[in-house]
Amino acid sequence: MLKTLFLHPPSYEGFDGGAGSRYQAKREIRSFWYPTWLAQPAALVPGSKLVDAPPAGLGLDDVLPLASQYELCVLHTSSPSFPGDVKVAEALKAANPDLLIGFVGAKVAVDPEGSLLASPAIDFVCREEFDFTVLEVAEGRPLTEVAGLCTRGPDGQVVWTPDRPVLEDMDRLPYVLDVYQRDLRVEDYFIGYLKHPYVSLYTGRGCRSQCTFCLWPQTVGGHRYRVRSVEHVLGEMALVPRYFPQVKEVFFDDDTFTDNRPRAEEIARGMGRLGLEWSCNAKANVPYETLKVLRDNGLRLLLVGFESGNQQILQNIKKGVRVERARQFAKDCRDLGITIHGTFIVGLPGETKETIQETIRFAQEINPHTIQVSIAAPYPGTQLWKQAKENGWLPEDDEGAQLVDERGIQTAALSYPHLTRTEIFDSVEEFYKKFYFRAGKIAEMTAEMVKSPDVLRRRLREGVEFVSFLRRRAQSA
C-alpha cells in the first residue's frame, strides 16, 4: 500500500472550494464545507492522511514538506481553483520527483485529457466517482490497469482506461467521521446558517432533479439517488457524541435528502432516538406531513434552493417546482417552526431586470431566516455551460468567462443582450440589502441577538465580514 496523502490544496484566502461546496468561491462570511469527497477514499486507504489546507489556514510553504513523506498525493480540484492547484502539484513534484500525483473532482471528470495535459506534474486524473479507483492506485496497481483513469502510457501517450461501474452498494463506503476525527479540526468549519461547530456528510449520492446549472449530479453523482442503508447511516451517527461532544448540529449534505421521503422519515426517527439535532438539503415540495415527522425528530433547518421567484425561469432551468408550491412549502415550515436558509441565483437564462426584482419580492414575502444569493455560474459539464456556449452568453475570450476573480470572489460570467454582466453582478448586493435591511428583518435579528449572547457575538462578527465582502465586491466590479 502506497503511503497516501489526500490534499485539498492551499488556495485563495477564505476560498470555500471543498467538495461539499455547490459554488467554489470566497463567501460573504467565513464559510467552509467539509472535504467529504476526499474523506471517503481516505477512509478506504489504510494509513492515509487528509489535509484540508484552506480552513486550516495552510499555505504552500506549510504543505510542501509533506511531499517527501508520501508516495501518492491525491488533490481535489475545481474549475475556479484548477490553475492554482496545478501550481501546487508542480511544487510538490519538484520537492519529490518520485511522488505520484493524481487529481479528482468535477473539473477533471468532465475534461480528463485536458486536465492531465495541463502539466507533466499530474500523473493521472480520475473520471467521475473515484473512491475505489484511488484505492486501487494506492494498492500499487499499474495505472494503465486501473479502471476510471486518464493517465500516460510508457511512451507518454494519453491512455483512457475502461470506465468504472457506478457504485451501487453505498454501504461499501466506510464512515467519514473516522477520518474527520483523525485528521480534521471541526472548529475550523463554519457555515453561516448552521450551528458551530457542525459536521456534515452524505447519506447518498445523486439527485433526481434535472436542474441545468447544478454541478454534482451532472458531473459526478448522476441523477439516480443511490443511498446508504438507514442502519449504516445511523451507525455512523451514533459516533457523533463520542467523537465530537462539542458538535451542535449534523448536516446531511445529499443534493436532496428529501427525495426519498420514507427513508428520510426513518432516518429522522433514528436521529430522534439518538437525541441529535440535524439539518439537510431539501426541495421546496416536501409535504406538511413529512415535514412534521422530520421536525418532531430533531430537524432544525432546511437548506432550500428556491433559485427564482419567476415561474418561467424555473422552467428554463428545469427546476421541477412551481412558485406557488414553494410558497406553500415556506408557509408549512414557518407554521412548524422549521428554519429555512433560502438560496437564490441571479442571471439564469431568461433573467431580466424585472425578474430580478420579482425574485427579490418573492424572497421578502416567504422570508427565509437567512439567504444566499449567487450568480449563475456556467460550470463546464453542465447543461447551462452548453447553453451558454451555443447562445453566445459567454464572452469570446476565456478570461472574461472566469468564474471567480483573482481573490476568489464569484464573478458574473454570463451576459445577455438585454442584461449585462455588470447588471447581474450589481444585483447581488441590491438583493442582499433589500432583503436584510428591512425593519421587520432587522427587528427579527435583533430579538434573536438579545436572547442569546452566542448569537450576538456571531452576528456581529458576520456583520463585519459581510460589509467587508461587499466592499471587496465593489472593488471587483
Side-chain angles (χ1 to χ4, degrees):
M1 187 70 66
L2 299 180
K3 192 172 183 183
T4 305
L5 171 68
F6 291 89
L7 176 65
H8 182 198
S11 190
Y12 312 96
E13 182 184 358
F15 182 79
D16 184 17
S21 172
R22 264 55 182 180
Y23 285 93
Q24 294 91 34
K26 187 178 178 69
R27 304 295 176 196
E28 300 87 344
I29 59 176
R30 181 176 173 81
S31 173
F32 288 109
W33 285 102
Y34 282 82
T36 315
W37 279 93
L38 274 184
Q40 203 72 78
L44 283 169
V45 178
S48 65
K49 183 175 179 63
L50 171 59
V51 173
D52 192 3
L58 302 178
L60 181 57
D61 290 342
D62 298 306
V63 302
L64 206 52
L66 296 172
S68 62
Q69 302 173 29
Y70 291 90
E71 301 167 285
L72 168 64
C73 181
V74 178
L75 289 81
H76 175 267
T77 191
S78 66
S79 291
S81 67
F82 184 71
D85 298 338
V86 169
K87 292 179 181 178
V88 173
E90 291 172 342
L92 293 170
K93 183 74 83 171
N96 178 7
D98 294 328
L99 182 65
L100 190 65
I101 296 179
F103 273 46
V104 298
K107 154 66 182 172
V108 300
V110 300
D111 182 21
E113 186 167 337
S115 301
L116 178 71
L117 296 177
S119 172
I122 305 173
D123 296 298
F124 67 91
V125 301
C126 294
R127 308 195 308 268
E128 301 173 346
E129 283 184 306
F130 48 82
D131 312 275
F132 289 92
T133 303
V134 170
L135 173 60
E136 291 182 9
V137 173
E139 288 173 340
R141 301 189 188 187
L143 296 182
T144 54
E145 297 177 13
V146 176
L149 289 185
C150 191
T151 185
R152 293 181 177 86
D155 299 323
Q157 77 276 20
V158 175
V159 175
W160 289 62
T161 65
D163 291 341
R164 179 172 295 276
V166 173
L167 180 63
E168 298 292 348
D169 182 4
M170 298 296 291
D171 285 2
R172 289 180 63 198
L173 296 172
Y175 298 158
V176 295
L177 288 187
D178 293 325
V179 176
Y180 291 179
Q181 183 201 38
R182 184 190 72 194
D183 293 334
L184 305 180
R185 203 177 82 93
V186 296
E187 288 79 9
D188 288 341
Y189 296 87
F190 294 82
I191 296 295
Y193 47 87
L194 297 180
K195 293 184 176 182
H196 182 262
Y198 79 99
V199 292
S200 66
L201 46 76
Y202 299 100
T203 76
R205 290 180 184 169
C207 181
R208 297 171 184 168
S209 298
Q210 303 292 319
C211 302
T212 61
F213 62 87
C214 196
L215 179 64
W216 298 109
Q218 297 183 77
T219 57
V220 179
H223 287 293
R224 285 190 301 112
Y225 188 28
R226 295 163 291 126
V227 299
R228 298 161 55 188
S229 67
V230 172
E231 295 74 21
H232 196 260
V233 173
L234 294 178
E236 185 165 21
M237 289 299 93
L239 297 175
V240 173
R242 191 198 322 168
Y243 284 180
F244 312 111
Q246 73 274 43
V247 159
K248 298 177 181 177
E249 182 167 19
V250 174
F251 187 83
F252 294 136
D253 203 16
D254 305 36
D255 288 277
T256 314
F257 178 75
T258 54
D259 264 1
N260 186 329
R261 291 169 191 164
R263 174 178 177 271
E265 292 181 14
E266 194 173 351
I267 290 175
R269 292 187 178 96
M271 295 294 283
R273 290 191 296 271
L274 291 170
L276 294 174
E277 190 165 53
W278 60 283
S279 300
C280 68
N281 291 307
K283 200 168 181 177
N285 62 356
V286 185
Y288 182 94
E289 295 74 18
T290 294
L291 290 172
K292 187 175 185 304
V293 172
L294 306 187
R295 190 281 315 270
D296 289 346
N297 288 281
L299 175 70
R300 184 188 71 85
L301 173 144
L302 294 175
L303 190 163
V304 183
F306 293 103
E307 322 310 357
S308 176
N310 177 272
Q311 188 60 53
Q312 185 58 56
I313 290 178
L314 294 181
Q315 290 172 206
N316 292 346
I317 62 173
K318 301 181 181 178
K319 185 64 185 177
V321 173
R322 299 197 62 80
V323 172
E324 282 305 314
R325 182 67 189 90
R327 186 176 279 116
Q328 180 61 49
F329 166 85
K331 180 182 182 301
D332 290 343
C333 288
R334 187 165 51 251
D335 291 345
L336 288 165
I338 298 172
T339 300
I340 291 180
H341 174 75
T343 64
F344 299 87
I345 302 175
V346 293
L348 291 165
E351 191 82 275
T352 64
K353 294 179 182 178
E354 291 73 28
T355 60
I356 290 173
Q357 295 305 314
E358 185 178 358
T359 298
I360 293 174
R361 290 192 297 270
F362 175 70
Q364 292 172 330
E365 177 193 348
I366 64 173
N367 196 33
H369 184 251
T370 51
I371 63 169
Q372 176 180 312
V373 185
S374 300
I375 299 171
Y379 278 88
T382 65
Q383 188 176 341
L384 178 59
W385 167 264
K386 295 173 186 175
Q387 285 180 300
K389 297 289 283 186
E390 291 169 358
N391 291 282
W393 298 336
L394 289 169
E396 293 182 4
D397 61 296
D398 289 338
E399 287 187 9
Q402 63 185 7
L403 298 171
V404 299
D405 66 12
E406 67 279 0
R407 288 170 295 179
I409 296 174
Q410 192 183 26
T411 62
L414 299 175
S415 64
Y416 307 98
H418 55 279
L419 192 66
T420 67
R421 281 189 286 160
T422 299
E423 289 170 326
I424 294 171
F425 186 86
D426 290 344
S427 69
V428 172
E429 182 172 344
E430 179 187 11
F431 200 133
Y432 276 124
K433 287 181 175 179
K434 285 188 173 180
F435 182 82
Y436 281 115
F437 297 169
R438 296 175 289 147
K441 179 56 77 172
I442 291 172
E444 174 188 323
M445 297 176 72
T446 301
E448 193 178 27
M449 290 187 288
V450 168
K451 292 178 181 177
S452 170
D454 287 341
V455 172
L456 173 61
R457 286 190 292 270
R458 182 170 180 174
R459 292 291 179 246
L460 289 176
R461 173 182 60 79
E462 292 173 345
V464 171
E465 292 174 355
F466 182 66
V467 171
S468 176
F469 174 82
L470 293 181
R471 188 180 300 116
R472 289 193 298 272
R473 287 190 85 255
Q475 294 170 352
S476 299

